[in-house]
Amino acid sequence: MLALCIQVLAVLVICAAGTEKRDHSYTFSAWNMGDKPLQEQLAIVYKEMENLKHEQVVMKQKQEVMSQALPYCSQQPLNTDVDMNLTSLSGSDHLFNTLSQFEDDEGSGEDENDAGVDPCNHYTALDQVWRATNYTTKKVVCDRSMQWKGWYRLFYRGQTIQMPERCVRKERCGTHAPLWLVGGHPRIRDGVVTRKVCGNWKNNCCLFKSPPIQVKACMGNYYVYKFVKPVVCQTAYCADINTLVCGKCRKRESCITRDKITWMCQKNRNRVKAKIHFFASFPGQISGKVNRIVYRKVFVNQGRALNSRTGVFKAPVSGVYQFFFSTQTGGGGPTDLWLIVNGYWVAVSHSNVQGPNSVGNLSTYMTTLRKGATVYVTHNRGRSWANTSSNTIIFGGSLLMVRKI
Ligand SMILES: *[C@@H]1O[C@H](CO)[C@@H](O)[C@H](O)[C@H]1NC(C)=O
Ligand SMILES: *[C@@H]1O[C@H](CO)[C@@H](O)[C@H](O)[C@H]1NC(C)=O
Ligand SMILES: *[C@@H]1O[C@H](CO)[C@@H](O)[C@H](O)[C@H]1NC(C)=O
Ligand SMILES: *[C@@H]1O[C@H](CO)[C@@H](O)[C@H](O)[C@H]1NC(C)=O
């Protein structure tokens, strides 16, 4: 933002140099008065602000005059206060290319308002019936003329509403090219995300690539959007009338959709009560080194955390897990199976018997895993025996408790 202002100033200075010589540098007298009483200081600050406001108006007027007078200045990209007329531009590929460049500008991150303030509690309510996707009246609005600042929450007659996640027909939402959110809304745990915004025009759902915006999901089934100035007129941020139902979802529900047209409230699957249990066996004989045993006979796989094609268990949530694994061995020297957690060899099932004897050996291991951790068993040496019904080479485990780490 600051950089933008400086750029504007720079443009102004360049242009001003061409027209007249008056100096616009400004001294902040409010900055050297630490010894004065607070009230007096405040009065001075207010006066400074008024002066600055006035100065700003003068500069704006100058800018307008100069943009008309000087062709060079009017070509500056920031000098776009004059609305582009969509009807006359609609056939222009040149415009489309220019707009595409905005796409790469995203994620600058810097933000003077966001110093520790949760936008879920600090937003401006935007309750404008004409933003709705079912609004067809020919009221042509352009969001370029809005002074966007900070975060916004969309309402429709006092009810929470969301941006559309799919292309909206043109001439809706009180504008020519309705703006919709690409890539869908985030979940609460995603925090603030950046999303692309597209404007539909001429049967092209994204003919107008509007600058990306930031979006955040909030507790209570609503979203806040950090809207920014679109680059062309007439475009406006839409409110999807089909999402009105989402605002009525209860505390432990979230709004779901398959087609992004029909929305409905659905009970959240309680992640804290996640049930993860698995038990599988290898129904054959293993000899020598096998890097990863694929326990292809799966008896229990609650939560689908064990991949029966690879033999790898992947922790779906962070928490405390318990594993067990075993083998049955007979003669021929020591047999070792190791449990491998995130690449570390953490526990062994070791057996060593003489002659024709056979013995089973079971090992267990309990640990705290981060979500996404991988666990499998390797056959490092020896011979393990099993047939299709013996279940002697087995691997199993359970999530004992969910725990944030
Ligand atoms: C946009 O162009 C159309 C057609 O050329 C014209 O009728 C309309 O007045 C223009 N609007 C603005 C705001 O310039
Ligand atoms: C749009 O939908 C809302 C909610 O269903 C309804 O109250 C309103 O009358 C509709 N407006 C138009 C113009 O169809
Ligand atoms: C079973 O495993 C334990 C621990 O690794 C080991 O001490 C024991 O000798 C094993 N039993 C046999 C019969 O190999
Ligand atoms: C598996 O091995 C056990 C123990 O040797 C035996 O009793 C059983 O009949 C075998 N089953 C099959 C299907 O081979």
Side-chain angles (χ1 to χ4, degrees):
M1 189 57 203
L2 187 65
L4 196 77
C5 290
I6 289 170
Q7 255 180 294
V8 173
L9 279 173
V11 170
L12 278 173
V13 169
I14 292 166
C15 295
T19 47
E20 58 174 300
K21 284 269 187 289
R22 234 187 82 195
D23 185 12
H24 272 284
S25 64
Y26 209 90
T27 41
F28 291 83
S29 50
W31 283 358
N32 32 38
M33 51 172 196
D35 49 341
K36 298 196 175 155
L38 188 64
Q39 236 171 356
E40 212 172 307
Q41 290 186 26
L42 271 176
I44 296 172
V45 168
Y46 280 129
K47 194 153 173 282
E48 290 286 336
M49 277 164 60
E50 281 309 310
N51 286 345
L52 277 172
K53 260 191 211 159
H54 174 73
E55 198 68 15
Q56 218 177 356
V57 172
V58 172
M59 277 178 159
K60 204 164 183 182
Q61 285 167 356
K62 274 181 178 298
Q63 191 185 11
E64 269 161 24
V65 170
M66 283 183 301
S67 63
Q68 284 159 18
L70 289 173
Y72 168 74
C73 285
S74 60
Q75 274 164 23
Q76 293 302 310
L78 286 163
N79 213 345
T80 43
D81 270 358
V82 187
D83 285 345
M84 285 178 252
N85 191 328
L86 226 177
T87 338
S88 56
L89 286 169
S90 54
S92 162
D93 286 338
H94 162 72
L95 173 71
F96 179 56
N97 291 339
T98 319
L99 296 179
S100 304
Q101 292 165 4
F102 279 85
E103 213 185 358
D104 305 324
D105 281 359
E106 68 182 275
S108 47
E110 105 283 21
D111 216 319
E112 74 278 344
N113 300 325
D114 282 5
V117 179
D118 186 353
C120 287
N121 308 320
H122 293 83
Y123 55 78
T124 307
L126 211 55
D127 192 339
Q128 291 159 320
V129 172
W130 56 264
R131 287 194 186 275
T133 44
N134 69 343
Y135 193 90
T136 49
T137 316
K138 290 258 184 281
K139 170 191 167 94
V140 176
V141 178
C142 184
D143 273 346
R144 250 192 82 69
S145 43
M146 288 272 290
Q147 290 305 316
W148 298 104
K149 192 171 190 326
W151 292 80
Y152 294 84
R153 176 175 169 186
L154 289 170
F155 288 93
Y156 181 85
R157 298 192 195 280
Q159 294 177 61
T160 290
I161 194 167
Q162 303 172 193
M163 274 187 83
E165 291 188 4
R166 60 181 283 160
C167 195
V168 179
R169 285 169 61 178
K170 65 175 182 145
E171 314 289 359
R172 295 289 173 114
C173 309
T175 192
H176 285 318
L179 296 179
W180 58 282
L181 192 68
V182 183
H185 287 80
R187 295 160 300 184
I188 285 185
R189 61 173 176 272
D190 296 331
V192 173
V193 301
T194 302
R195 289 281 188 267
K196 291 177 186 172
V197 173
C198 278
N200 176 25
W201 190 249
K202 287 193 85 191
N203 291 328
N204 183 341
C205 281
C206 201
L207 182 61
F208 295 107
K209 292 180 166 57
S210 212
I213 59 168
Q214 289 181 300
V215 188
K216 188 181 181 202
C218 301
M219 295 291 282
N221 287 307
Y222 66 93
Y223 297 91
V224 286
Y225 307 89
K226 196 159 188 219
F227 291 136
V228 297
K229 240 184 201 199
V231 277
V232 284
C233 281
Q234 266 74 25
T235 58
Y237 293 108
C238 275
D240 187 348
I241 203 79
N242 294 322
T243 65
L244 275 180
V245 61
C246 297
K248 300 194 180 91
C249 291
R250 287 187 232 197
K251 217 170 175 184
R252 292 182 188 286
E253 292 179 327
S254 40
C255 208
I256 60 149
T257 181
R258 281 188 188 281
D259 53 10
K260 300 187 184 301
I261 300 171
T262 305
W263 294 77
M264 59 192 119
C265 299
Q266 191 189 58
K267 249 201 174 138
N268 290 338
R269 268 185 229 145
N270 203 336
R271 299 201 309 129
V272 178
K273 281 186 189 157
K275 289 187 174 70
I276 311 295
H277 303 286
F278 75 101
F279 178 64
S281 85
F282 184 87
Q285 316 209 7
I286 302 174
S287 154
K289 196 167 173 66
V290 172
N291 278 335
R292 185 166 19 83
I293 303 176
V294 180
Y295 295 88
R296 56 176 187 266
K297 211 170 157 191
V298 178
F299 294 89
V300 174
N301 199 4
Q302 174 85 41
R304 304 202 157 272
L306 176 76
N307 185 329
S308 57
R309 274 187 309 106
T310 61
V312 175
F313 172 87
K314 194 169 173 187
V317 292
S318 299
V320 178
Y321 289 83
Q322 181 170 35
F323 299 96
F324 54 92
F325 60 108
S326 75
T327 186
Q328 177 87 22
T329 181
T335 298
D336 288 340
L337 275 69
W338 282 88
L339 186 75
I340 300 187
V341 175
N342 281 337
Y344 291 95
W345 298 39
V346 295
V348 68
S349 166
H350 168 86
S351 35
N352 195 4
V353 284
Q354 303 301 319
N357 295 329
S358 177
V359 67
N361 214 333
L362 176 75
S363 288
T364 61
Y365 189 70
M366 197 191 289
T367 187
T368 304
L369 295 181
R370 210 175 278 283
K371 180 183 173 183
T374 56
V375 183
Y376 61 87
V377 179
T378 192
H379 195 274
N380 198 42
R381 60 172 175 169
R383 285 220 308 266
S384 291
W385 176 89
N387 68 14
T388 50
S389 56
S390 68
N391 296 323
T392 37
I393 305 172
I394 55 103
F395 178 32
S398 289
L399 168 67
L400 302 182
M401 59 178 281
V402 174
R403 199 173 140 190
K404 283 202 168 118
I405 51 171

